């Protein structure tokens, strides 16, 4: 997903293996990225480009005239089944394949407005109605849609507009009465009801809930750091001799404090795991729902009412504003290249977008640095020691003004300020020397092919945006071809991304449709570049937690951080999820460093003991079993000893059994599932340590099954046990603990265990606010539960949905 598709990857690696050793060696030992790029791109042959093009054609990204009808019919089927979300998505797919101002697009918008109406999304419904009208919705179908519009306006408490719409509707009906439409009478009847409703409804003044308003205040940085934009004044930029740049606390920081709030410099939505359809085979149309259908491709807002790009079928936005901004900043260049960008992978796409967005910034300095590198190729001066001065022709004005002088901390401006800008992005480390030569070759050929297509599409080159005309002259094509600058910049970004790309995640609800107890899981939504967040170094047990709202990342302290301490976050391998060996391996291969965080140090010294959540217990006395191949009981009086492979086989068998139980659970056979799970639980307790994660998962499943049966007491009892396992593994203030507490709160709420529910809600709120901020959906739901419990009379009533 991050890198090019496998076919292209193996094609290029094959090409690499056939290169003469001398050529491989020249590329492997090239001193600068520009050398790598120039050497590699000179080897890109027309047949390579042909092959890449054939792969790109596997992705269907254009508008298909047959698709709107197909998707509308599929959507209508979902609509009949009352799956309004599914219907809305299919209508959206129809919209994105329609040309503007056609009956196709108008009908798709109109149908989607009906689905949105049933989902209670009245504002979105109204927007779709006006879109349908804008694109020429047929007169003959108008009455039904106008009725829906009036209903929406009533529901939104806008009776005047509703009356106006009804008047329009009436005049429309009289003009069409001669047609003797069969649904005419139904319409008349509905219209009558609606009029009554409007009369009943007094104008309602809308007010922002006070709770929400106060919560919003806690979402912003109280005071911004003067040195680092998007960071709070509790943070300063430092440098560490071994780790390079880092962020340090300037004062004592309490858990939950907001430290960084940064909008992505760029982000690229990951459309989802939808493999390309083999060309020429079967239907080109795909009714599966992916993230690409559910989120705005620019701001990552979740929406069912997307508006598509006029030129392609894959870029969709939440609003016209997002569509226009994306078009101006980058999509006008990307639009015709959709298939190629899918083939070359997300990193290549992010790299391209970085350079496209950079055109709108003052990036002369960066370009000069690049030109400099390219022009100095023959001299072979090492990258880092190479002063800007060598490119003296015509560039004197900048040198004397001082702006070309590098500041001590890379990425900062002349005043030492670090900002979310292209200069900072450019200065993120590419780790050129750490990547394998094959990998650099693959990246270089990929960006080279991309550049050629951009050029073929007649796209304005990177340097067209340069402010200094002298600089433009200096990068004259013969000396330093434009495309080379672009290619080198793209290559640099692609290599940077391996260590600096930030996965933008969101929480998606899973579990029962009825929403009695919701589980949630974190999913990767997009890849973004955040120059300030990138300053954070890694720890396997970090002192912060990172979360996202749209394209904005927030970093909050997850524990007390003392003044002068480094602020750290986890790059992925967390001490509570992976053992030290696996973590070290991952950090070394992806990030090129050996971790020496406190967690790694303690674990390295502890005599290779397996973590508690993978431990076994003695079958006779329940004490912890210890050892390598043969485990013996840790209690002195007991002589029990078991072979590890025997225990491993038992565990595998247990996991097969729990897998069967989960199938039963999914198919709704609750009693059978409980029976099966209880057997698993007894078996698990006889040989797994009480804090073993598998035991916790069984308890969690039992809690789910009982909740589905409405037995809240038993459900809560099992969830409590699962909670102790989660706490032992992830710690009392971890986000995992927060999610589990949230589930327990829902169960206690449903069971009307008022005091327990209230105290659990409070605990869950504290933990989740620390990780997700006070405005997250979960916190708001907890607050609703709380006010519901406090307000309602002490009579058990069914909970509201
Ligand atoms: Zn948007
Ligand atoms: Zn487009
Ligand atoms: Zn570590
Ligand atoms: Zn024992």
């Amino acid at each position: 997903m991050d890198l090019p598709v496998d076919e292209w990857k193996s094609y290029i690696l094959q090409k690499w293996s056939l290169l003469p050793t001398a050529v491989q060696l020249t590329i492997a030992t090239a001193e600068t990225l520009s050398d790598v790029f120039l050497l590699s791109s000179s080897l890109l042959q027309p047949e390579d480009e042909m092959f890449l093009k054939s792969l790109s054609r596997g992705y269907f990204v254009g508008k298909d005239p047959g698709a709107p009808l197909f998707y509308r019919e599929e959507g209508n089927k979902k609509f009949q089944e009352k799956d309004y979300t599914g219907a809305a998505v299919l209508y959206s797919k129809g919209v994105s394949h329609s040309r503007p101002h056609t009956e196709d697009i108008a009908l798709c918008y109109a149908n989607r407005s009906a689905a949105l109406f049933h989902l209670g999304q009245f504002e979105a419904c109204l927007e779709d109605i006006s879109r349908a009208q804008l694109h020429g919705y047929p007169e003959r179908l108008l009455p039904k849609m106008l009725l829906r519009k009036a209903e929406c306006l009533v529901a939104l408490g806008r009776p005047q507009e509703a009356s106006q719409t009804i008047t329009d509707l009436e005049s429309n009906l009289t003009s069409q009465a001669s047609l003797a439409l069969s649904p005419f009478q139904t319409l008349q009847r509905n219209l009558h009801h609606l009029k009554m409703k409007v009369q009943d409804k007094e104008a309602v003044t809308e007010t922002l809930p006070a709770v929400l308003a106060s919560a919003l205040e806690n979402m912003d940085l109280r005071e911004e750091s003067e040195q680092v934009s998007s960071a709070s004044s509790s943070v300063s930029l430092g440098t560490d001799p071994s780790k390079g740049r880092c962020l340090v606390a300037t004062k004592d920081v309490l858990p939950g404090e907001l430290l960084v709030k940064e909008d992505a410099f760029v982000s690229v939505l990951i459309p989802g795991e939808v493999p390309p359809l083999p060309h020429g085979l079967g239907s080109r149309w795909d009714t599966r729902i992916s993230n690409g259908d559910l989120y705005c491709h620019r701001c990552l807002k979740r929406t069912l009412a997307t508006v598509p790009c006029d030129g392609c079928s894959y870029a969709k936005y939440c609003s016209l504003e997002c569509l226009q901004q994306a078009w101006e900043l980058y999509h006008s260049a990307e639009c015709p290249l959709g298939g190629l960008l899918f083939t070359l992978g997300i990193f290549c796409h992010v790299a391209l977008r970085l350079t496209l967005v950079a055109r709108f910034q003052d990036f002369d300095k960066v370009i000069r640095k690049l030109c400099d590198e390219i022009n100095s190729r023959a001299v072979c001066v090492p990258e880092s020691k190479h002063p800007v001065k060598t490119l003296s022709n015509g560039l004197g004005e900048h040198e004397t003004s001082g702006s070309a002088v590098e500041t001590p901390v890379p990425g900062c401006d002349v005043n030492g300020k670090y900002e979310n800008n292209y200069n900072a992005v450019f200065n993120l480390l590419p780790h050129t020397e750490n990547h394998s030569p094959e990998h650099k070759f693959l990246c270089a050929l990929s960006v080279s092919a991309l550049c050629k297509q951009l050029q073929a599409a007649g796209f304005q080159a990177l340097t067209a945006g340069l402010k200094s005309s002298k600089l433009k002259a200096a990068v004259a094509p013969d000396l330093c071809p434009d495309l080379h600058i672009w290619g080198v910049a793209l290559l640099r970004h692609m290599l940077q991304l391996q260590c600096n790309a930030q996965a933008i995640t969101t929480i998606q609800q899973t579990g029962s449709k009825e929403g009695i107890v919701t589980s949630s899981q974190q999913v990767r939504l997009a890849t973004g570049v955040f120059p300030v967040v990138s300053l954070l170094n890694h720890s396997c047990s970090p002192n912060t937690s990172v979360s996202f709202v749209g394209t904005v990342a927030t970093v909050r302290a997850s524990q007390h951080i003392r003044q002068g301490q480094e602020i750290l976050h986890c790059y992925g391998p967390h001490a509570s999820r992976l053992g030290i060996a696996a973590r070290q391996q991952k950090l070394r291969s992806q990030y090129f460093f050996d971790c020496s965080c406190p967690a790694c140090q303690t674990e390295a010294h502890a005599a290779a003991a397996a973590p508690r959540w993978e431990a076994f217990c003695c079958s006779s006395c329940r004490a912890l079993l210890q050892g390598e191949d043969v485990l013996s009981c840790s209690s002195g009086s007991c002589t029990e000893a078991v072979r590890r492979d025997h225990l491993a086989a038992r565990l595998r068998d247990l996991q097969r059994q729990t897998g069967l139980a989960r199938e039963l659970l999914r198919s709704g056979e609750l009693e059978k599932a409980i029976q099966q799970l209880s057997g698993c639980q007894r078996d698990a307790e006889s040989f797994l340590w009480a804090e073993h994660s598998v035991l916790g998962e069984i308890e969690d499943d039992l809690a789910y099954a009982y909740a589905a049966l409405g037995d809240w007491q038993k459900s809560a009892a099992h969830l409590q046990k699962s909670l102790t396992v989660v706490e032992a593994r992830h710690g009392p203030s971890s986000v995992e603990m927060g999610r589990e507490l949230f589930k327990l709160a829902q169960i206690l709420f449903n069971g009307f265990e008022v005091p327990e529910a209230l105290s659990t809600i409070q605990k869950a709120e504290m933990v989740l606010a620390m990780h997700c901020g006070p405005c997250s959906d979960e916190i708001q739901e907890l607050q609703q539960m709380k006010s519901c419990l406090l307000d309602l009379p002490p009579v058990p009533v069914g909970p509201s949905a």
Side-chain angles (χ1 to χ4, degrees):
M1 185 198 321
D2 291 336
L3 293 176
V5 296
D6 288 339
E7 291 93 328
W8 176 245
K9 231 189 305 186
S10 39
Y11 179 90
I12 294 297
L13 293 184
Q14 167 84 1
K15 189 179 168 78
W16 168 262
S17 68
L18 295 174
L19 289 179
T21 322
V23 178
Q24 285 187 353
L25 202 69
T26 325
I27 293 174
T29 54
E31 294 238 17
T32 63
L33 274 180
S34 90
D35 289 345
V36 176
F37 177 74
L38 294 179
L39 287 167
S40 307
S41 61
S42 69
L43 299 167
L44 183 73
Q45 300 300 320
E47 62 265 27
D48 304 334
E49 291 185 71
M50 292 297 286
F51 179 67
L52 185 60
K53 275 188 187 152
S54 74
L55 290 175
S56 311
R57 276 195 290 271
Y59 292 90
F60 201 77
V61 292
K63 296 204 189 273
D64 187 338
L69 178 63
F70 168 79
Y71 284 123
R72 206 165 71 241
E73 284 172 351
E74 290 296 312
N76 291 346
K77 284 183 205 161
K78 294 268 175 207
F79 195 93
Q80 294 301 321
E81 296 162 13
K82 294 194 166 38
D83 175 2
Y84 299 117
T85 306
V89 172
L90 290 168
Y91 295 139
S92 295
K93 285 182 189 253
V95 167
S96 62
H97 277 285
S98 311
R99 296 268 161 210
H101 305 291
T102 54
E103 187 162 310
D104 270 338
I105 199 166
L107 291 176
C108 285
Y109 274 132
N111 286 13
R112 193 172 73 184
S113 78
L116 294 169
F117 179 80
H118 283 276
L119 290 166
Q121 298 188 16
F122 302 120
E123 298 276 9
C125 172
L126 285 178
E127 277 184 58
D128 268 2
I129 290 173
S130 42
R131 284 174 191 142
Q133 287 183 291
L134 191 75
H135 288 280
Y137 191 65
E139 243 344 85
R140 61 193 152 86
L141 300 171
L142 204 56
K144 226 173 139 185
M145 199 167 75
L146 286 178
L147 188 71
R148 190 179 307 133
K149 182 176 176 184
E151 292 259 24
C152 271
L153 290 165
V154 172
L156 288 168
R158 286 150 63 177
Q160 283 88 2
E161 290 162 82
S163 306
Q164 182 55 49
T165 308
I166 288 170
T167 316
D168 295 349
L169 177 55
E170 279 173 329
S171 64
N172 187 289
L173 283 177
T174 20
S175 72
Q176 294 199 26
S178 56
L179 296 172
L181 296 160
S182 60
F184 181 76
Q185 278 159 5
T186 337
L187 265 174
Q188 288 284 19
R189 217 172 27 244
N190 288 346
L191 187 56
H192 178 72
H193 285 304
L194 196 58
K195 275 188 186 165
M196 308 288 287
K197 265 199 230 170
V198 175
Q199 279 161 12
D200 290 350
K201 202 124 188 169
E202 288 298 331
V204 185
T205 49
E206 286 179 60
T207 52
L208 187 70
V211 191
L212 192 62
S214 76
L216 280 169
E217 282 168 19
N218 288 326
M219 288 295 288
D220 283 319
L221 294 170
R222 240 164 273 162
E223 195 187 342
E224 195 178 68
S225 158
E226 284 175 15
Q227 191 191 11
V228 185
S229 76
S230 315
S232 93
S233 57
S234 307
V235 168
S236 73
L237 179 60
T239 45
D240 178 281
S242 61
K243 294 196 279 188
R245 297 175 298 182
C246 59
L247 290 180
V248 177
T250 56
K251 50 181 94 132
D252 282 8
V253 170
L254 293 173
E257 188 179 323
L258 186 57
L259 296 172
V260 176
K261 184 181 182 187
E262 184 183 25
D263 197 358
F265 183 74
V266 303
S267 61
V268 172
L269 179 78
I270 301 166
E273 305 286 327
V274 185
L277 300 156
H279 24 259
L281 271 174
S283 168
R284 281 171 301 182
W285 304 319
D286 195 344
T287 54
R288 288 172 294 177
I289 302 180
S290 72
N291 283 342
D293 302 312
L294 297 174
Y295 294 88
C296 174
H297 284 228
R298 171 162 167 75
C299 73
L300 302 180
K301 184 177 146 189
R302 193 184 165 98
T303 175
L304 286 173
T306 49
V307 280
C309 169
D310 284 346
C312 65
S313 62
Y314 69 94
K316 303 168 192 185
Y317 305 95
C318 71
S319 60
L320 275 181
E321 291 74 56
C322 273
L323 182 149
Q324 272 154 6
Q325 277 184 19
W327 184 262
E328 279 160 25
L329 284 170
Y330 50 80
H331 190 67
S332 50
E334 293 176 6
C335 188
L337 301 175
L340 180 67
L341 292 170
F342 284 122
T343 312
L344 292 179
I346 294 287
F347 280 0
C348 203
H349 196 165
V350 175
L352 172 64
R353 197 169 287 183
L354 284 170
T355 58
L356 292 172
V357 171
R359 294 173 301 162
F360 300 93
Q361 293 207 348
D362 179 18
F363 72 132
D364 291 19
K365 190 172 116 186
V366 173
I367 294 294
R368 269 205 294 164
K369 206 172 156 185
L370 277 168
C371 287
D372 198 25
E373 190 184 309
I374 293 167
N375 290 326
S376 69
R377 196 157 67 93
V379 192
C380 274
V381 183
E383 196 176 344
S384 54
K385 292 180 193 156
H386 194 205
V388 171
K389 279 181 222 110
T390 44
L391 190 78
S392 52
N393 287 352
L395 294 169
E397 51 172 68
H398 278 274
E399 270 157 42
T400 44
S401 75
S403 69
V405 180
E406 284 295 327
T407 51
V409 184
C412 292
D413 66 13
V414 274
N415 304 315
K417 178 151 186 176
Y418 188 89
E419 287 182 86
N420 175 315
N421 60 20
Y422 188 65
N423 184 39
V425 171
F426 189 82
N427 278 288
L428 297 172
L429 289 178
H431 291 282
T432 312
E433 61 295 348
N434 291 312
H435 294 280
S436 71
E438 299 94 301
H439 181 70
K440 284 185 272 198
F441 186 64
L442 168 68
C443 293
L445 285 196
S446 301
V447 299
S448 170
L450 177 61
C451 282
K452 290 208 169 153
Q453 290 229 12
L454 282 163
Q455 194 185 35
F459 190 71
Q460 278 280 18
L462 191 64
T463 47
L466 283 182
K467 293 199 177 114
S468 150
S469 57
K470 281 188 182 173
L471 185 58
K472 262 188 209 168
V475 296
D478 53 321
L479 226 185
C480 177
D482 224 13
L483 225 49
H484 285 170
I485 305 178
W486 205 343
V488 177
L490 286 170
L491 179 59
R492 182 182 174 94
H493 293 318
M494 236 186 134
L495 296 179
Q496 284 173 330
L497 286 167
Q498 181 168 326
C499 296
N500 292 290
Q502 177 68 52
I504 299 177
T505 56
T506 187
I507 305 298
Q508 276 179 358
Q509 305 286 336
T510 53
S512 69
K513 249 190 177 170
E514 300 76 41
I516 307 167
V517 182
T518 49
S519 305
S520 49
Q521 66 176 43
Q522 210 172 30
V523 293
R524 189 171 160 196
L525 191 60
T527 294
V529 177
F530 298 84
V532 177
V533 173
S534 279
L535 292 172
L536 295 169
N537 286 315
H538 164 85
S539 166
C540 302
S541 59
N543 51 20
T544 61
S545 180
V546 181
S547 61
F548 300 88
V549 177
T551 57
V552 177
T554 53
V555 180
R556 288 171 191 278
S558 60
Q559 51 182 259
H560 194 155
I561 305 173
R562 303 211 174 277
Q563 183 182 0
Q565 260 185 339
E566 190 180 350
I567 294 158
L568 298 157
H569 94 131
C570 177
Y571 291 179
H574 195 284
S576 72
R577 275 167 234 138
L578 278 180
I580 180 166
R583 297 203 308 267
Q584 294 277 6
Q585 201 270 328
K586 167 123 176 106
L587 291 168
R588 215 170 290 141
S589 65
Q590 188 180 345
Y591 297 96
F592 313 119
F593 71 93
D594 291 307
C595 187
S596 57
C597 76
C600 284
Q601 282 177 354
T602 5
E603 276 179 70
H605 290 114
R612 291 290 173 112
W613 67 85
E614 288 171 8
F616 299 101
C617 79
C618 169
S619 55
S620 38
C621 73
R622 295 271 164 107
L624 194 67
L625 286 179
Q626 287 171 329
E628 291 287 307
D629 291 342
V630 178
L631 294 100
S632 50
C633 182
S634 61
S635 130
S637 53
C638 178
T639 57
E640 187 86 6
V642 208
R643 289 175 54 88
R644 182 173 289 276
D645 49 9
H646 172 71
L647 291 167
R650 269 190 86 177
L651 183 60
R652 275 197 300 276
D653 187 51
L654 176 67
Q655 280 169 319
R656 253 194 310 276
Q657 296 298 327
T658 52
L660 291 177
R662 240 159 254 158
E663 300 264 298
L664 291 169
L665 213 53
R666 261 196 294 274
S667 59
E669 296 178 72
L670 300 172
E671 273 90 0
K672 275 193 198 161
I674 288 175
Q675 208 176 9
Q676 174 80 5
L677 283 168
S678 306
C680 291
Q681 183 202 31
R682 275 192 300 278
D683 185 28
E685 281 176 341
S686 70
F687 75 107
L688 296 182
W689 180 244
E691 290 163 357
H692 198 290
S693 55
V694 169
L695 198 52
E697 285 159 21
I698 295 172
E699 296 289 356
D700 198 73
D701 287 337
L702 276 166
Y704 181 83
Y706 279 114
L709 283 174
D711 190 338
W712 307 111
Q713 247 177 340
K714 283 208 178 114
S715 177
H718 285 290
L719 203 64
Q720 295 275 15
K721 287 200 203 164
S722 157
L723 216 62
T724 53
V725 176
V726 171
E727 181 169 352
R729 177 167 181 180
H730 298 283
S733 54
S734 60
V735 68
E736 289 83 0
M737 191 65 180
R739 301 250 166 75
E740 211 64 8
L741 283 166
F742 181 74
K743 273 197 251 176
L744 183 60
Q746 287 179 310
I747 287 168
L748 294 168
F749 174 83
N750 284 306
F752 273 85
E753 304 285 347
V754 179
E756 288 96 329
L758 286 173
S759 78
T760 308
I761 288 172
Q762 199 190 355
K763 274 190 229 162
E765 251 180 323
M766 266 165 60
V767 177
L768 287 173
M770 197 154 39
H771 296 284
C772 315
C775 244
S776 65
D777 292 349
E778 276 133 325
I779 297 285
Q780 285 177 25
E781 202 171 328
L782 287 167
Q783 281 169 352
Q784 280 168 15
M785 283 197 264
K786 188 159 65 181
S787 58
C788 190
L789 288 173
L790 293 173
D791 290 350
L792 278 181
V795 189
V797 217
S800 59

